[in-house]
Amino acid sequence: MLYREAGQFKTTYGADQAIFPIPQDRWVVYAVIALAFVAVPSVANEYWLQAILIPALVFTLAAIGLNLLTGYCGQLSLGTGGFMACGAYATYKLSTAFPEMNILIVFLLSGIPAAAVGCLFGIPSLRIKGFYLAVATLAAQFFLVWLFNRVEWFYNYNPSGTITAPPRTMGGFMVTGPEATAEARYLVALGFVALFALLAKNLMRGRVGRAWMAIRDMDIAAEIIGIRPLTTKLAAFAVSSYVCGVAGALYFAIYLGSVETAAFDISVSFLVLFMVIIGGLGSILGSILGAFFITVVPILLTNVPEALGLPIGVALAKQLENIVFGAMIVFFLIVEPHGLARLWQIAKEKLRRWPFPY
Amino acid sequence: MSEAYADAAVSAGAPQAPARVFTETLLSVDDISLSFGGVKAISNVSFDIKQGEIRAIIGPNGAGKTSMLNVINGFYHPQQGRITYRGKVRKKMRPNEAAKTGIARTFQNVALFKGMSTLDNIMTGRLLKMKRNFFWQALYWGPAKAEELQHREYVEHIIDFLEIQSIRRTPVGRLPYGLQKRVELARALAMEPHLLLLDEPMAGMNVEEKEDMSRFILDVNDEFGTTIALIEHDIGVVMDLSDRVVVLDYGRKLADGTPDEVSRDQKVIDAYLGVPHE
Ligand SMILES: Nc1ncnc2c1ncn2[C@@H]1O[C@H](COP(=O)(O)OP(=O)(O)OP(=O)(O)O)[C@@H](O)[C@H]1O
Ligand SMILES: [Mg+2]
């Protein structure tokens, strides 16, 4: 069947406001979700899950978090790594202090300290914008990593300075700790991404999202329609940091299992920012595409030449990766600020007209 | 074309239609002075705006018209003077607080949200009226969804009214200038304001677009009963639309009265012809 909207008339505003107003899109999305939850865990091997899918999902969550702040509300942040660390250390403290607390609750609560810290470091955004704000959030990044490194209480005075996720179950299945299978951890990460993607999308297509985008696009005009810049920006920092905090909790407990503060350094902040830029600023779909793209490309660069009989070595692959990312970021920043998500949309528009040139 | 506009169009130059009478004062500014460093933008200006009227503010470039609107909606805080709005002396307030009291405006240079569609831009005008909290919003379900749809319906009403159905989904950045101005008016109307401030709504438009815009302004005033304060350079338009005109020049009030009175005022004629100040 051709991909067409013709003949599909929306008879209610409700139908018109749906996330995927075109039925074909809706079915594709349902199919992808079903595949992800059912087919993937039974087909994918340990390597695929642990090396690609779990990190891609965890970073998707972080990218959604940052995109809420930077893509939708227009506030540039380089503190993502620090906010993720807040979530990770909160998970560690909560799960060791309250061993009987359900790990799901622990993850959800872990976002709260991150939200509070995000709010605090968001205060300068009331006065400063763009580059200067980025520098202020950079301060948050360095301060938080320093703090978690320095104050031994955060890692329970463990002489090695690492935090390790204690074994916990969810619905009878082990999801953290050495016993947890990759399938179980994958499903937890997937569940969080699905849930947060939906909540974020809902938030952004309603009143809250419009207020944030108004602040992003023109703060003077936002004020005359009654938006308070102060509370709006702080809310964006809080919500964004909450999501990043939960992503940090998963990054620690579900993906890596055991981390030091180095796992949350500035390179993580940049990595998530690149995902958002390449995927598409102001797009939830873009956050997903960007995170998967940036996780998968390095693996392709190491494996594809080898499969073709051209072993290029790890060092060269790493160089190639930097070149590819650098070039893509420049390309997207200059040519297509809406990223992969926009390219996808253009492809769909072409498909809608196909086979006619216009 | 609406009758109101037809009347107004005919009345240009022809004998004046019977003047509409307004009694209740909606807003009055008293003895307002505003300066930026050494530049006096407004000096001791007083005038009032009556409930239901279309009030024009005219004057040469740099006369202080935009500054006056900025004072009324809280962007600028005058060094001196008093604003009375709906019977109460108003305290110093920010634009978002002024919005809450029912003051909406459009800008001289279009100030739309460039990254959003026409529909979303207009929906932002409903923000203050949407009450469901964050958690309902995130669920987009039940009361939150009902609220969203109810406001969508109101916005659709405005979209029909301003005849912009076909550009609902277009990102506003891609619209021609004239339509952008219309979307900005739509956003202001979505706020259901008591007082609508329009800063040169027809600047840069061709004759046809100006006619459309004039008709919309008259219809808004007529159908919604909205009080309108309007800055406009095109004297023909001002004569057609407004009930009363205040003339500013170099930050001072030069004249105040019906379009007829003002256009016969020698000081006004001099100011427009550029007769040097003594
Ligand atoms: N923010 C500001 N800072 C400094 N000076 C300002 C500011 N805003 C306005 N002015 C000055 O105040 C005076 C009045 O400006 P205003 O914009 O109110 O004029 P206007 O009547 O709207 O003119 P125009 O018809 O060109 O729009 C000008 O001399 C202008 O330079
Ligand atoms: Mg002006």
Side-chain angles (χ1 to χ4, degrees), chain B residues 158-192:
Chain B
I158 290 172
I159 287 178
D160 287 344
F161 181 78
L162 294 180
E163 298 159 17
I164 45 180
Q165 297 91 339
S166 59
I167 55 165
R168 229 188 239 112
R169 295 283 174 195
T170 317
V172 291
R174 280 196 231 156
L175 296 175
Y177 188 72
L179 278 179
Q180 292 195 9
K181 288 234 150 199
R182 209 185 283 188
V183 175
E184 208 188 5
L185 174 63
R187 182 180 68 193
L189 285 181
M191 295 171 67
E192 297 181 64

Side-chain angles (χ1 to χ4, degrees), chain A residues 3 12 46 58 72 103 109 133 163 169-170 175 179 197 200 214-215 237 277 281 289 308:
Chain A
Y3 182 72
T12 63
E46 171 91 24
V58 170
Y72 285 95
I103 193 74
L109 289 180
L133 179 63
I163 56 173
T169 60
M170 204 184 276
V175 295
E179 315 265 277
I215 289 280
F237 267 95
I277 292 172
L281 286 161
L289 295 177
L308 295 175

Side-chain angles (χ1 to χ4, degrees), chain A residues 162-209:
Chain A
T162 56
I163 56 173
T164 303
R168 294 286 180 266
T169 60
M170 204 184 276
F173 290 95
M174 198 57 95
V175 295
T176 58
E179 315 265 277
T181 61
E183 285 84 359
R185 291 181 292 120
Y186 164 79
L187 286 174
V188 172
L190 182 63
F192 269 94
V193 167
L195 176 71
F196 278 81
L198 180 65
L199 294 180
K201 182 72 198 176
N202 282 344
L203 214 48
M204 290 306 102
R205 66 193 170 130
R207 171 175 66 88
V208 175

Side-chain angles (χ1 to χ4, degrees), chain A:
Chain A
M1 197 175 106
L2 287 177
Y3 182 72
R4 286 291 141 82
E5 289 176 83
Q8 303 169 0
F9 295 107
K10 290 149 203 144
T11 47
T12 63
Y13 294 133
D16 195 37
Q17 304 260 61
I19 299 182
F20 301 105
I22 305 173
Q24 284 99 323
D25 282 357
R26 210 151 48 224
W27 290 115
V28 168
V29 170
Y30 292 151
V32 168
I33 293 174
L35 273 178
F37 272 103
V38 182
V40 170
S42 50
V43 182
N45 60 24
E46 171 91 24
Y47 172 77
W48 271 85
L49 292 171
Q50 178 62 30
I52 302 173
L53 294 173
I54 295 176
L57 287 170
V58 170
F59 276 114
T60 297
L61 197 56
I64 290 174
L66 180 63
N67 217 336
L68 291 178
L69 182 66
T70 304
Y72 285 95
C73 197
Q75 312 297 306
L76 184 54
S77 163
L78 291 176
T80 315
F83 301 138
M84 287 172 73
C86 287
Y89 281 82
T91 288
Y92 179 66
K93 290 303 289 185
L94 281 171
S95 59
T96 51
F98 307 99
E100 63 297 331
M101 192 189 275
N102 187 308
I103 193 74
L104 177 67
I105 308 285
V106 170
F107 288 151
L108 292 174
L109 289 180
S110 297
I112 294 174
V117 171
C119 233
L120 189 68
F121 282 98
I123 292 173
S125 71
L126 308 174
R127 282 292 162 87
I128 55 179
K129 291 179 189 173
F131 176 71
Y132 296 96
L133 179 63
V135 172
T137 57
L138 201 58
Q141 166 70 39
F142 285 112
F143 170 75
L144 289 168
V145 167
W146 173 84
L147 182 77
F148 293 128
N149 212 1
R150 196 61 198 269
V151 180
E152 296 177 4
W153 177 81
F154 284 116
Y155 43 89
N156 286 355
Y157 309 98
N158 182 344
S160 70
T162 56
I163 56 173
T164 303
R168 294 286 180 266
T169 60
M170 204 184 276
F173 290 95
M174 198 57 95
V175 295
T176 58
E179 315 265 277
T181 61
E183 285 84 359
R185 291 181 292 120
Y186 164 79
L187 286 174
V188 172
L190 182 63
F192 269 94
V193 167
L195 176 71
F196 278 81
L198 180 65
L199 294 180
K201 182 72 198 176
N202 282 344
L203 214 48
M204 290 306 102
R205 66 193 170 130
R207 171 175 66 88
V208 175
R210 285 189 212 106
W212 292 8
M213 289 187 274
I215 289 280
R216 170 195 72 190
D217 286 346
M218 183 158 291
D219 47 5
I220 292 179
E223 258 193 281
I224 60 133
I225 54 170
I227 295 172
R228 293 179 62 191
L230 177 102
T231 43
T232 308
K233 285 181 187 171
L234 288 186
F237 267 95
V239 173
S240 158
S241 307
Y242 178 86
V243 178
C244 289
V246 174
L250 299 183
Y251 182 66
F252 153 61
I254 295 287
Y255 172 43
L256 294 173
S258 153
V259 295
E260 294 174 33
T261 46
F264 299 100
D265 71 4
I266 180 74
S267 64
V268 174
S269 297
F270 277 113
L271 198 64
V272 178
L273 183 63
F274 293 166
M275 290 170 178
V276 169
I277 292 172
I278 289 181
L281 286 161
S283 160
I284 301 292
L285 175 68
S287 312
I288 302 171
L289 295 177
F292 273 82
F293 184 85
I294 289 211
T295 319
V296 170
V297 164
I299 293 169
L300 286 182
L301 284 179
T302 16
N303 293 340
V304 169
E306 210 160 309
L308 295 175
L310 299 164
I312 57 170
V314 179
L316 183 55
K318 189 80 198 150
Q319 301 289 337
L320 273 179
E321 177 191 322
N322 287 340
I323 293 170
V324 170
F325 286 170
M328 291 204 57
I329 286 160
V330 171
F331 169 80
F332 279 117
L333 278 181
I334 295 174
V335 182
E336 189 47 82
H338 298 291
L340 292 171
R342 175 81 189 129
L343 295 185
W344 170 244
Q345 216 176 15
I346 293 172
K348 278 207 313 191
E349 262 163 44
K350 291 246 156 67
L351 186 61
R352 199 174 297 168
R353 295 189 199 115
W354 185 87
F356 309 106
Y358 358 70

